[in-house]
Amino acid sequence: MEASKKANELANKFITKSVFDMTYEELKEQKEQGKAFAIICVDEILNDNPNIYDSDRLNHKYWKEVKRQISLL
């Protein structure tokens, strides 16, 4: 999956209400909260065991790109 799609998918998992039940301000707040939680998840993946990525640089690079894409949402 492309990093940008994974970023969007992760951030959207943390939106708890239907977009139709929220005001614009609530939606904005939910999106920011979703981004923050998604970044925490990616940080956990990256920091869980840094040595695991020594042999798998592509995987590490992928998750760094996902984190960058989340910040751009």
Side-chain angles (χ1 to χ4, degrees), residues 43-57:
D43 281 342
E44 285 296 314
I45 291 168
L46 290 170
N47 297 329
D48 186 43
N49 187 356
N51 296 329
I52 198 168
Y53 294 110
D54 286 346
S55 62
D56 191 3
R57 294 271 180 218

Side-chain angles (χ1 to χ4, degrees), residues 5-46:
K5 289 184 181 185
K6 178 55 88 175
N8 197 39
E9 177 185 65
L10 284 173
N12 283 335
K13 287 186 183 287
F14 296 103
I15 295 179
T16 58
K17 294 166 54 176
S18 168
V19 295
F20 300 109
D21 295 333
M22 289 187 270
T23 64
Y24 176 75
E25 288 302 315
E26 289 173 317
L27 179 59
K28 228 168 89 169
E29 184 179 308
Q30 284 281 309
K31 287 174 76 175
E32 288 305 312
Q33 183 177 354
K35 286 170 53 174
F37 289 159
I39 287 174
I40 290 169
C41 289
V42 173
D43 281 342
E44 285 296 314
I45 291 168
L46 290 170

